[in-house]
Amino acid sequence: MKKGLMLFLAIFMVLSMAACSGSSTTSEEESDSKNSKDEEITLRMAWWGSEPRHDYTLKMIELYEEQNPNVKIQPEYASWDDYWKKLAPQASANQLPDIIQMDLSYITQYSNNNQLADLKPFFGKEIDTTDLSQDFLDGGKIGENYYGLNGGVNALAFQYDPELLKKIGVDKISEDWTWEDYQDMAQKAADAGLFFENGPGTAPDVSFNYYLRTNGKRLYSEDGTTLGYEDDKLFVDFFSMYADLVKEKAIQSPDASAQVKGLEDDPVVKQQSIGLIQWSNQFIGIQEAANRPLEMVGLPGPNADQGLFLKPGLFWSVANSSKNKEEAAKFINFLTNDIEANKLMLGDRGVPGSPKVQEALLPLLSPAQKQVFNYVAWAGEHSSPYNGPDPTKAAEVINLLKNTADQIAYGVLKPEEAAKQFRQQAESILAQGK
């Protein structure tokens, strides 16, 4: 009896100790979890843009910090040119911001240098992809990895002043207009002492790539190691038209373009130019600066549907060097899916990918913002697939093309000579990115 009692007491004590031990472990786990949520985390976030973009992005950061008191976000922002000048040395020093606003022209370069994290592990977890289409997600896909999340969709458009257009005897630009119509209107504008547009020379890679696409080609080959067209006649035809129109003072010269330091200086705003070719999300800024009704239409054809495409306005990327990748991914999810955050942004970085977010924004949109949303919806039905991010050396090729286009406009280079020179130098640059 005594032995049985002693055995019972021993078993009871072992079970009690085990229970206490289990309770202690659970308590410690709960404490660790709580401490993790309360742990102070600082993220650096970098972006480029105008003053209005800076202002609303700072408000978005404030909103996120209110919802996540343990997270602090340090903003780093600049103009387009200054942004990349600041980012390059940070990348070299392996000190990139945690959250990076990334562009098509640079994302391949930074990802190939192992400076951007693959976001795929965060999809469906920290980043809710439920309402995002596969095409939207694939905008930031390079190889099998996702180095950026699409910040919103844009499309190229010709944005113009309808009242100035009437001064050259044209009531409206048709959706099926052609390059012949473009040249005809440009000549009428010159005769009236106006520019027809600011000119392809301001961003020749954009306008020339569109022109190539209408001819079934593209600026870069699929693997990004050569140019994507073999017939230099395409180059000669496009830039001959450009040079002729500059000579006729029908479009702006490179010298005049260089004097434009901000929206307030833009010839469209100053009623010196009827229109300009730019991305749809830029329409709101030019509309606000002009403070009068402007219109949007697709670019000239033929084969405009083949040339036009829906483009990621920009990407949100996470630095591979970040020590808080999951937290950075959560903030990207906030930028993408949070309705209140998008009410502050209102499509400035592109039309949101989530239909729920789009629907929530519609009642809040200004007439100009509604024009953008409607135009992007139209473009989605009148476009061809996007070619994907630019190759590693794209930024150098873009600079080369801009300089070449300027020399053509100045008469320093003939288009035929420029075509050969550009091909030789561009393909040498692209080959270095292999």
Side-chain angles (χ1 to χ4, degrees):
M1 184 79 177
K2 254 184 182 181
K3 285 182 181 178
L5 180 60
M6 291 294 290
L7 181 61
F8 171 77
L9 289 173
I11 293 171
F12 176 78
M13 288 178 70
V14 168
L15 292 173
S16 297
M17 288 174 70
C20 289
S21 173
S23 174
S24 175
T25 302
T26 302
S27 177
E28 285 174 10
E29 287 175 353
E30 289 175 353
S31 176
D32 287 346
S33 175
K34 185 178 179 183
N35 288 340
S36 176
K37 290 180 180 178
D38 292 340
E39 180 187 355
E40 286 287 336
I41 294 171
T42 299
L43 300 173
R44 292 164 55 216
M45 175 188 177
W47 71 89
W48 73 82
S50 60
E51 203 60 42
R53 176 176 290 181
H54 302 332
D55 292 342
Y56 78 69
T57 305
L58 292 172
K59 290 179 182 177
M60 292 169 73
I61 289 173
E62 288 177 13
L63 179 62
Y64 188 80
E65 290 177 340
E66 287 173 8
Q67 297 175 6
N68 302 270
N70 65 311
V71 179
K72 301 299 175 190
I73 299 176
Q74 296 177 349
E76 301 177 15
Y77 50 92
S79 64
W80 168 266
D81 289 338
D82 289 342
Y83 180 80
W84 299 106
K85 289 174 184 175
K86 290 180 180 179
L87 212 62
Q90 291 176 339
S92 298
N94 204 31
Q95 294 178 346
L96 283 170
D98 300 273
I99 304 150
I100 309 162
Q101 184 174 293
M102 184 53 63
D103 184 71
L104 275 173
S105 303
Y106 290 90
I107 190 168
T108 303
Q109 173 187 330
Y110 278 76
S111 63
N112 284 352
N113 289 338
N114 200 34
Q115 291 162 335
L116 303 180
D118 180 13
L119 298 182
K120 191 173 183 179
F122 306 113
F123 288 173
K125 298 176 183 177
E126 289 79 10
I127 299 174
D128 182 4
T129 58
T130 308
D131 295 325
L132 306 177
S133 71
Q134 194 60 47
D135 284 346
F136 186 86
L137 293 173
D138 285 349
K141 186 179 182 182
I142 300 174
E144 295 303 314
N145 298 329
Y146 292 78
Y147 291 108
L149 183 62
N150 198 333
V153 175
N154 294 322
L156 278 175
F158 183 72
Q159 302 167 17
Y160 67 95
D161 184 330
E163 292 304 313
L164 278 185
L165 186 70
K166 289 176 183 177
K167 289 188 177 182
I168 66 169
V170 180
D171 289 331
K172 191 173 180 65
I173 298 178
S174 170
E175 289 179 0
D176 61 354
W177 66 317
T178 66
W179 285 109
E180 286 185 5
D181 297 326
Y182 172 98
Q183 292 175 78
D184 180 58
M185 289 184 224
Q187 189 57 60
K188 289 178 179 177
D191 293 343
L194 295 167
F195 294 125
F196 180 59
E197 70 133 325
N198 294 0
T202 55
D205 60 299
V206 174
S207 50
F208 183 45
N209 185 49
Y210 166 81
Y211 180 76
L212 288 171
R213 283 173 57 93
T214 64
N215 285 277
K217 305 297 179 182
R218 51 195 281 189
L219 185 54
Y220 307 109
S221 62
E222 193 168 340
D223 65 3
T225 60
T226 63
L227 293 175
Y229 64 98
E230 296 178 357
D231 187 358
D232 281 343
K233 187 176 184 300
L234 293 168
F235 183 104
V236 173
D237 288 348
F238 183 80
F239 286 103
S240 292
M241 175 183 68
Y242 168 52
D244 289 345
L245 292 176
V246 169
K247 186 177 180 181
E248 295 293 327
K249 298 184 179 178
I251 61 177
Q252 201 175 33
S253 69
D255 281 339
S257 296
Q259 301 303 313
V260 178
K261 302 300 183 184
L263 285 174
E264 65 281 357
D265 293 331
D266 193 282
V268 174
V269 172
K270 297 169 79 171
Q271 296 182 291
Q272 297 169 346
S273 180
I274 291 172
L276 74 168
I277 293 174
Q278 63 178 3
W279 297 105
S280 52
N281 68 312
Q282 295 174 294
F283 179 76
I284 296 167
I286 198 82
Q287 171 77 78
E288 289 177 352
N291 196 28
R292 60 186 187 278
L294 301 179
E295 299 290 340
M296 269 194 296
V297 69
L299 270 56
N303 305 320
D305 287 13
Q306 193 171 306
L308 201 63
F309 61 96
L310 295 182
K311 161 191 173 288
L314 49 83
F315 299 104
W316 294 116
S317 298
V318 173
N320 212 18
S321 58
S322 172
K323 296 179 181 177
N324 295 292
K325 292 185 180 68
E326 289 185 5
E327 289 297 332
K330 288 177 186 177
F331 186 70
I332 289 177
N333 178 68
F334 170 79
L335 295 169
T336 305
N337 292 306
D338 189 274
I339 288 175
E340 295 306 314
N342 277 276
K343 284 180 180 179
L344 293 168
M345 187 155 43
L346 288 175
D348 171 66
R349 286 178 162 102
V351 175
S354 165
K356 288 181 181 177
V357 173
Q358 292 178 27
E359 186 178 352
L361 297 188
L362 284 176
L364 306 174
L365 299 178
S366 68
Q369 290 162 338
K370 286 180 181 177
Q371 282 177 274
V372 172
F373 274 55
N374 291 337
Y375 177 76
V376 169
W378 174 87
E381 297 176 359
H382 297 82
S383 59
S384 297
Y386 161 63
N387 291 138
D390 290 346
T392 302
K393 293 289 185 175
E396 291 179 45
V397 175
I398 290 168
N399 287 333
L400 172 64
L401 185 57
K402 176 70 171 70
N403 291 335
T404 304
D406 287 353
Q407 290 182 70
I408 294 171
Y410 293 137
V412 175
L413 282 176
K414 291 183 177 180
E416 293 80 4
E417 182 186 356
K420 294 176 183 177
Q421 183 174 302
F422 173 70
R423 175 174 295 281
Q424 181 182 15
Q425 295 179 11
E427 296 205 329
S428 175
I429 291 169
L430 291 168
Q432 296 170 24
K434 289 181 180 180

